């Protein structure tokens, strides 16, 4: 077995606000092996983006602060590194693409300039080399007429094309880890399909490990090897992709899966809904943060914080009744 | 080799190359397919089935509705025309939900707004209760808005931040002099908001709750028809289900009719009875929801439905996805003929020149594509 390329252990990222300390990420652990794709699923405010910003050391301090845990990237303790050293990794060995490609590209600079900057900085390319490389990257991500489009500005590109430019930029230095934070949320479905296909294709060609952050269970189903489900800053469930979808062991995951309309089912059947609202992370209740919305919560759930139970190899669930929920899911599959 | 044949529609004489498969009549414009039969004479047959005609007894009937905007233009450059909605005919029957899907920029929101005259149609008719809304004077249109309401996409932008929830929901009651018919508290309870919140401001609510406020405001005047423009797109997954269930419950209780506009094909499938697919200002397919998802006929609809990710890894692993080339072309200068031909894997030269009509390919299933017909509802192979 190869060593994990990324290991996050007990990560805690807290924000000090007027309303008190917000535990945006609270004791999150996961591992990513070389060439693997990990999906992080959660609703807004669940801490999925902050987790990855912490990995990249992109949390603004104050108000944010990494309060505990460790991040090990290829044997390097990222959290202990001086910021200059982090900069050498960021963009070169770990790259990130964001949800909104318009706000992450500089509107005043030509695409060429923005692409060339990356390799000039990290790979020491000369201008000519960098330009050649930029052109090659644009062609790689499927931008037609790349030579010509290199000297255009971001506003001259459509949303899907901008996201391709972002991917070209992120992959310029052949990073070992690509973090994609909701890369297709702002795009239309047909363009989403193009971009996901592109990420899949590039991943298999370059052997890059990928973390895909999304709220769309459909997107992670076809793209990932394993998934973690986050809720209120905590990992609620972690499992290999197939296992998670067929045998969820956490009531929140089950609820999420059931509340997505199934294209195959008959219209008119009422959709399952998780009652209530996502919790206010600044004022979490004492017990399980999901207890209030959970249809199988008992007294203990409101009183005590649930344990992180391993229900099967590599399959963990944060729930007092994890085993029972898992058994129930198993019997549902068989029936 | 030239073959002499006559147009099956107007009987005019046509000269056809025997390599041609589709022939457009120079006189009447009818498109027909060339059938070569070795034993008999070659024949031409009309490709189209029955053209779609919106039913007149529907609650809302759109007849060739057009919304064209003038864009750009200046001292030296000419105006350009954006045909956001370009000749849409549709019917929305009482009590049903018609889903309207399409990608951004296809004109679906403009269509929704044009029905309620929130943007003015530049051509065609919107028939409601025997009146043509598109040509009503503004004052008369105002009265009609009692019956026709809208729910907006962004619950953060569509509520006045300086008004309390009570004022927001109560405003339509005042405007239409309906005070006393229903109380704000009742409305709040109908949409699942506690009446304790009546004095609160929009910023104190979450996205899902704000959308409930928007729905309560629309329901205040007891409308018959509601245009819901992407009502769940800005919400979290667990909250989307709540709002969809609320909309369904209200429809059953109040016999509402919805035009549900969304790019989320899974939500549209769940809520709609019939679905219309829009591409660059035109309706390209219209059918019962179950039929269009099971058997999409028009190549664009096929690609659109195949692009929807399914939350099931086993299905995802097996499925063959149609990946479209390129982006949606600009509506300022849409492609000629069938707007979709630039991205269509089945396009033949005729697609560039012939504008397809929405015709009945299967019972109650309409599609706009010259390569399919009631006799041959599927494009078997790219024969070119």
């Amino acid at each position: 077995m190869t060593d994990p390329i990324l290991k996050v252990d007990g990560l805690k990222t807290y924000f000090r606000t007027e309303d008190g300390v917000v535990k945006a990420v609270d004791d999150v652990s996961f591992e990513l092996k070389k060439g693997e794709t990990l999906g992080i699923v959660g609703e807004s405010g669940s801490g999925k983006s902050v987790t990855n910003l912490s990995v990249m050391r992109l949390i603004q301090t104050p108000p944010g602060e990494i309060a505990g845990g460790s991040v090990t990237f290829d044997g390097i303790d990222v959290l202990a590194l001086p910021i200059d050293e982090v900069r050498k990794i960021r963009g070169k060995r770990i790259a990130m693409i964001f949800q909104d490609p318009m706000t992450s590209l500089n509107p005043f600079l030509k695409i060429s300039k923005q692409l060339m900057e990356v390799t000039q900085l990290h790979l020491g390319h000369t201008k000519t080399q960098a330009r050649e490389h930029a052109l090659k990257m644009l062609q790689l991500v499927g931008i037609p007429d790349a030579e010509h489009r290199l000297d255009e500005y971001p506003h001259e590109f459509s949303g899907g094309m901008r996201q391709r430019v972002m991917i070209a930029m992120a992959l310029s230095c052949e990073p070992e880890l690509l973090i994609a934070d909701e890369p297709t949320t702002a795009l239309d479905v047909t363009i989403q399909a193009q971009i996901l296909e592109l990420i899949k294709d590039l991943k298999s060609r370059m052997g890059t490990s990928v973390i895909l952050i999304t709220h769309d269970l459909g997107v992670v189903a076809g793209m990932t090897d394993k998934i973690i489900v986050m809720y209120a800053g905590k990992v609620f469930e972690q499992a290999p992709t197939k296992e998670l979808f067929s045998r969820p062991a956490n009531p929140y995951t089950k609820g999420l899966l059931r509340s997505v309309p199934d294209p195959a089912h008959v219209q008119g059947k009422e959709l399952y809904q998780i009652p209530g609202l996502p919790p206010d992370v600044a004022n979490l209740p004492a017990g399980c943060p999901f207890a209030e919305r959970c249809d199988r919560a008992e007294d203990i759930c409101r009183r005590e914080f649930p344990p992180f139970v391993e229900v099967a190899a590599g399959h963990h669930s944060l729930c007092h009744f994890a085993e029972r929920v898992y058994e129930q899911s198993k019997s549902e599959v068989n029936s | 080799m030239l073959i002499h044949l006559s147009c099956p529609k107007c009987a005019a004489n046509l000269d056809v190359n025997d390599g041609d498969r589709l022939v457009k009549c120079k006189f009447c414009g009818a498109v027909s397919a060339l059938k070569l039969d070795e034993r008999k004479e070659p024949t031409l047959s009309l490709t189209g089935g029955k053209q779609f005609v919106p039913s007149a007894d529907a609650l809302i009937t759109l007849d060739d509705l057009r919304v064209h905007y003038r864009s750009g233009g200046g001292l030296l450059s000419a105006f350009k025309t954006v045909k956001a909605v370009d000749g849409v005919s549709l019917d929305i029957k009482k009590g049903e939900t018609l889903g309207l899907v399409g990608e951004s920029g296809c004109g679906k929101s403009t269509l929704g707004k044009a029905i309620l005259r929130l943007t003015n149609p530049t051509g065609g008719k919107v028939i409601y209760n025997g009146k043509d809304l598109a040509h009503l004077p503004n004052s008369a249109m105002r009265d009609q808005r009692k019956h026709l309401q809208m729910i907006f996409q962004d619950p953060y932008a569509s509520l006045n931040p300086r008004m309390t929830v009570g004022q927001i929901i109560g405003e339509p009651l005042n405007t239409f002099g309906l005070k006393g018919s229903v109380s704000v508290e009742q409305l709040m309870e109908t949409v699942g908001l506690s009446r304790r919140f009546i004095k609160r401001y929009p910023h104190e609510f979450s996205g899902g709750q704000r959308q409930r406020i928007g729905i309560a405001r629309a329901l205040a005047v007891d409308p018959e028809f509601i245009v819901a423009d992407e009502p769940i797109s800005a919400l979290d997954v667990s909250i989307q289900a709540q709002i969809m269930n609320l909309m369904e419950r209200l429809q059953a209780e109040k016999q509402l009719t919805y035009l549900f506009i969304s790019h989320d094909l899974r939500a549209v499938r769940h809520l709609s009875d019939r679905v219309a697919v829009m591409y660059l200002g035109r309706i390209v397919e219209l059918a019962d929801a179950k039929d269009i998802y099971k058997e999409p006929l028009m190549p664009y609809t096929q690609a659109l439905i195949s692009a929807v990710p399914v939350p099931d890894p086993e299905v995802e692993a097996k499925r063959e996805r149609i990946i479209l080339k390129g982006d949606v072309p600009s509506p300022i200068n849409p492609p000629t003929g069938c707007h979709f031909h630039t991205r269509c894997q089945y396009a033949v030269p005729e697609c560039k020149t012939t504008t397809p009509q929405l015709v009945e390919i299967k019972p109650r299933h309409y599609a706009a594509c010259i390569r399919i017909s009631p006799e041959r509802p599927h494009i078997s192979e790219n024969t070119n």
Side-chain angles (χ1 to χ4, degrees):
Chain A
M1 272 324 249
T2 46
D3 281 341
I5 181 91
L6 180 74
K7 190 170 183 325
V8 173
D9 196 17
L11 183 69
K12 292 183 171 134
T13 306
Y14 296 169
F15 289 85
R16 293 183 196 289
T17 68
E18 283 173 20
D19 302 333
V21 177
V22 175
K23 298 180 174 177
V25 173
D26 198 14
D27 200 7
V28 166
S29 306
F30 60 86
E31 274 184 18
L32 184 66
K33 290 196 188 72
K34 224 175 158 27
E36 241 181 2
T37 302
L38 169 75
I40 302 186
V41 183
E43 297 181 83
S44 41
S46 61
K48 54 192 193 301
S49 292
V50 175
T51 301
N52 290 284
L53 292 174
S54 306
V55 169
M56 299 272 281
R57 290 274 297 275
L58 286 170
I59 298 293
Q60 199 177 11
T61 317
E65 175 198 3
I66 296 178
S70 68
V71 174
T72 318
F73 171 73
D74 196 23
I76 308 165
D77 182 355
V78 178
L79 298 186
L81 230 48
I83 202 73
D84 288 353
E85 295 296 314
V86 176
R87 287 209 181 99
K88 285 185 193 156
I89 295 179
R90 212 192 270 154
K92 185 180 182 191
R93 302 186 62 193
I94 308 180
M96 196 157 181
I97 43 181
F98 298 92
Q99 172 171 352
D100 186 349
M102 192 63 219
T103 51
S104 23
L105 289 168
N106 187 335
F108 292 109
L109 297 180
K110 287 176 184 168
I111 295 296
S112 56
K113 170 95 181 143
Q114 302 190 50
L115 276 166
M116 285 158 64
E117 223 171 44
V118 187
T119 54
Q120 282 176 303
L121 178 71
H122 287 300
L123 304 181
H125 278 176
T126 63
K127 260 191 167 172
T128 334
Q129 282 173 320
R131 201 184 154 85
E132 253 168 46
H133 192 76
L135 178 64
K136 204 181 83 193
M137 290 311 295
L138 282 193
Q139 284 163 343
L140 185 71
V141 297
I143 289 187
D145 195 15
E147 199 153 350
H148 181 220
R149 303 219 67 178
L150 204 51
D151 287 316
E152 288 186 344
Y153 289 90
H155 75 268
E156 297 174 84
F157 288 73
S158 67
M161 285 297 159
R162 268 181 226 143
Q163 199 58 291
R164 283 175 195 263
V165 172
M166 284 303 296
I167 294 175
M169 198 181 292
L171 296 178
S172 280
C173 302
E174 305 202 0
E176 288 134 89
L177 174 63
L178 175 70
I179 301 178
D181 191 349
E182 303 265 12
T184 58
T185 309
L187 308 175
D188 281 316
V189 271
T190 59
I191 310 299
Q192 165 170 295
Q194 291 175 357
I195 296 293
L196 293 179
E197 202 63 23
L198 175 70
I199 294 178
K200 242 194 234 175
D201 176 48
L202 293 176
K203 180 181 122 66
S204 66
R205 273 202 268 171
M206 296 181 159
T208 316
S209 312
V210 178
I211 297 181
L212 182 66
I213 306 169
T214 176
H215 67 279
D216 190 331
L217 289 160
V219 170
V220 282
M223 293 281 294
T224 57
D225 302 305
K226 59 182 179 185
I227 293 178
I228 63 180
V229 179
M230 289 189 71
Y231 187 79
K234 302 186 173 63
V235 175
F236 259 54
E237 186 160 6
Q238 177 167 9
T241 302
K242 270 189 188 163
E243 168 98 357
L244 186 99
F245 278 92
S246 57
R247 292 182 288 276
N250 193 288
Y252 174 62
T253 315
K254 271 188 105 154
L256 270 189
L257 286 170
R258 284 169 65 193
S259 61
V260 180
D262 177 354
H265 93 196
V266 198
Q267 186 250 1
K269 200 170 88 182
E270 197 187 356
L271 204 56
Y272 176 80
Q273 65 181 55
I274 300 175
L277 303 170
D280 174 5
V281 192
N283 297 298
L284 285 180
C288 171
F290 185 63
E292 227 181 290
R293 307 175 74 190
C294 183
D295 54 9
R296 58 175 308 140
E298 293 179 19
D299 277 346
I300 186 172
C301 304
R302 282 175 275 269
R303 233 176 28 238
E304 280 173 40
F305 191 79
F308 200 50
V309 184
E310 181 160 25
V311 291
H315 188 170
H316 300 260
S317 165
L318 189 77
C319 179
H320 287 290
F321 304 105
E323 303 273 3
R324 265 192 255 170
V325 178
Y326 183 66
E327 289 308 318
Q328 197 194 340
S329 295
K330 256 165 74 178
S331 63
E332 278 165 11
V333 173
N334 295 334
S335 64
Chain B
M1 192 185 95
L2 273 183
I3 312 171
H4 302 286
L5 289 169
S6 56
C7 170
K9 195 171 177 195
C10 66
N13 289 327
L14 298 176
D15 290 340
V16 182
N17 288 313
D18 72 352
D20 288 348
R21 300 205 161 258
L22 288 168
V23 185
K24 190 179 178 187
C25 173
K26 281 174 285 191
F27 303 94
C28 72
V31 178
S32 28
L34 177 64
K35 280 188 190 153
L36 285 172
D37 191 324
E38 283 168 11
R39 283 163 296 172
K40 292 187 211 144
E41 291 285 311
T43 52
L44 279 178
S45 69
L46 276 176
T47 53
K50 207 166 61 185
Q51 203 168 321
F52 174 74
V53 181
S55 109
D57 59 354
L59 183 71
I60 305 259
T61 306
L62 309 183
D63 182 15
D64 199 26
L65 191 66
R66 282 161 204 274
V67 183
H68 294 182
Y69 295 111
R70 288 222 292 186
S71 146
L75 205 54
L76 296 169
S77 57
F79 286 109
K80 286 172 186 153
T81 309
V82 180
K83 296 178 178 174
V85 176
D86 197 20
V88 167
S89 296
L90 275 177
D91 46 14
I92 307 167
K93 302 192 176 78
K94 189 161 174 53
E96 83 166 343
T97 300
L98 178 68
L100 182 60
V101 296
E103 296 181 275
S104 42
C106 73
K108 56 191 194 301
S109 288
T110 306
L111 178 62
K113 286 186 190 147
I115 296 174
L116 304 187
R117 283 268 299 276
L118 297 176
T119 183
N120 278 322
T122 49
K125 291 181 195 158
V126 179
I127 314 276
Y128 167 71
N129 254 347
K131 294 190 191 73
D132 178 11
L133 300 183
H135 295 95
L136 276 188
N138 284 339
S139 57
M141 186 60 216
R142 246 181 116 84
D143 287 338
Q144 293 301 322
R145 293 225 174 90
K146 254 188 299 211
H147 312 297
L148 313 163
Q149 282 289 313
M150 182 143 183
I151 304 171
F152 295 91
Q153 167 171 8
D154 187 350
Y156 294 84
S158 55
L159 303 176
N160 186 334
R162 296 184 176 223
M163 286 163 82
T164 63
V165 171
Q167 288 168 332
I168 290 170
I169 300 174
E171 194 179 30
L173 296 174
N174 292 335
T175 314
F176 291 106
L178 296 169
K179 258 191 162 175
S181 64
V182 61
S183 75
V184 172
E185 285 90 344
Q186 277 172 333
L187 286 165
M188 289 178 72
E189 271 173 15
T190 312
V191 298
L193 285 171
S194 163
R195 55 170 73 195
R196 287 184 292 124
F197 296 157
I198 191 160
K199 292 228 166 67
R200 294 207 187 166
Y201 289 89
H203 75 264
E204 298 175 75
F205 294 90
S206 67
Q209 286 174 317
R210 282 183 223 208
Q211 202 53 288
R212 288 177 196 266
I213 299 170
I215 294 173
R217 176 177 61 185
L219 291 177
V221 293
D222 199 16
E224 222 180 341
F225 173 67
I226 292 180
V227 174
D229 187 2
E230 302 267 15
I232 60 165
S233 307
L235 307 175
D236 267 321
V237 186
S238 74
I239 308 300
Q240 289 185 349
Q242 293 180 2
I243 297 297
M244 283 195 270
N245 283 340
L246 174 66
M247 286 182 63
E248 284 201 300
R249 200 193 79 216
L250 293 171
Q251 180 169 44
E253 281 173 15
K254 297 176 183 292
Q255 284 87 49
L256 290 169
T257 305
Y258 291 131
L259 176 67
F260 182 69
I261 303 173
S262 181
H263 69 277
D264 182 341
L265 283 102
R266 295 188 295 227
V268 168
R269 168 74 180 94
H270 181 76
L271 283 177
S272 311
D273 300 295
R274 282 189 306 149
V275 174
V277 182
M278 204 164 171
Y279 190 76
L280 285 176
R282 294 179 188 154
I283 302 295
V284 296
E285 188 154 354
L286 171 70
D288 286 349
K290 58 176 192 321
D291 296 334
I292 209 164
Y293 282 83
K294 204 170 66 192
E295 196 186 359
L297 298 175
M298 152 87 191
Y300 175 63
T301 315
Q302 289 170 353
L304 201 60
I305 287 174
S306 97
V308 180
V310 178
D312 185 337
E314 316 224 337
V315 176
E316 281 288 316
K318 274 183 237 148
R319 72 204 279 242
E320 287 271 324
R321 195 160 263 148
I322 305 168
I323 305 280
L324 288 180
K325 287 170 285 176
D327 292 322
V328 182
S330 157
I332 294 179
N333 192 11
T336 54
C338 172
H339 286 342
F340 184 59
H341 81 255
T342 51
R343 301 170 81 196
C344 182
Q345 57 174 327
Y346 303 112
V348 291
E350 287 80 359
C351 296
K352 225 182 256 187
T353 51
T354 314
T355 301
Q357 302 296 318
L358 199 59
V359 293
E360 189 164 27
I361 304 291
K362 295 196 157 190
R364 292 170 53 77
H365 193 149
Y366 298 84
C369 176
I370 58 167
R371 298 221 43 202
I372 53 179
S373 63
E375 293 84 47
R376 289 179 51 195
H378 298 285
I379 307 171
S380 45
E381 267 298 296
N382 194 347
T383 42
N384 274 30

